[in-house]
Amino acid sequence: MSQRPDLMPEREQGMLIMRARGFTIAEIGRAYGLGPDRTRQVIKAACKALGATEPVHALAIALAVGLFTVEDLSGSNDWSGELKIPQHVREAMTGARPEE
């Protein structure tokens, strides 16, 4: 993650990345030891820090200004888990056909 502490704290960055990877509010909260309401507040603060109206907008801004990279979103080197890609999308991208 390209650290820019002047824009938002690391915890907000991490939670926003987890949200972008497809984690639920409950999953993110568990990872950070927070309840769902507090988790939503932190994600909302991350959006506000970037002037975004919602998490997907915050993600787009973060990518555009270099706060996050596409590699940050893949999650391959990160404790918070990999990007959740649905099985049907994986199959479509590899050309595999689901078993009937």
Side-chain angles (χ1 to χ4, degrees):
M1 191 167 21
S2 301
Q3 298 281 326
R4 292 247 177 114
D6 56 316
L7 289 176
M8 75 175 73
E10 186 175 335
R11 178 170 80 159
E12 290 178 13
Q13 292 181 33
M15 291 175 123
L16 190 58
I17 285 176
M18 286 185 75
R19 195 68 178 125
R21 290 178 185 165
F23 287 86
T24 66
I25 294 296
E27 291 169 328
I28 296 167
R30 277 193 298 276
Y32 281 88
L34 301 173
D37 291 339
R38 182 67 183 130
T39 301
R40 282 187 197 89
Q41 289 174 344
V42 174
I43 292 172
K44 188 174 181 177
C47 292
K48 184 177 179 182
L50 293 173
T53 56
E54 58 182 285
V56 70
H57 185 207
L59 176 63
I61 292 169
L63 286 168
V65 302
L67 183 63
F68 301 158
T69 66
V70 172
E71 289 78 25
D72 291 329
L73 299 181
S74 71
S76 56
N77 304 336
D78 194 314
W79 64 268
S80 60
E82 292 187 12
L83 177 65
K84 293 183 176 184
I85 301 174
Q87 187 62 35
H88 74 280
V89 174
R90 289 181 191 272
E91 291 167 355
M93 296 308 295
T94 62
R97 298 247 183 223
E99 292 185 27
E100 296 181 21

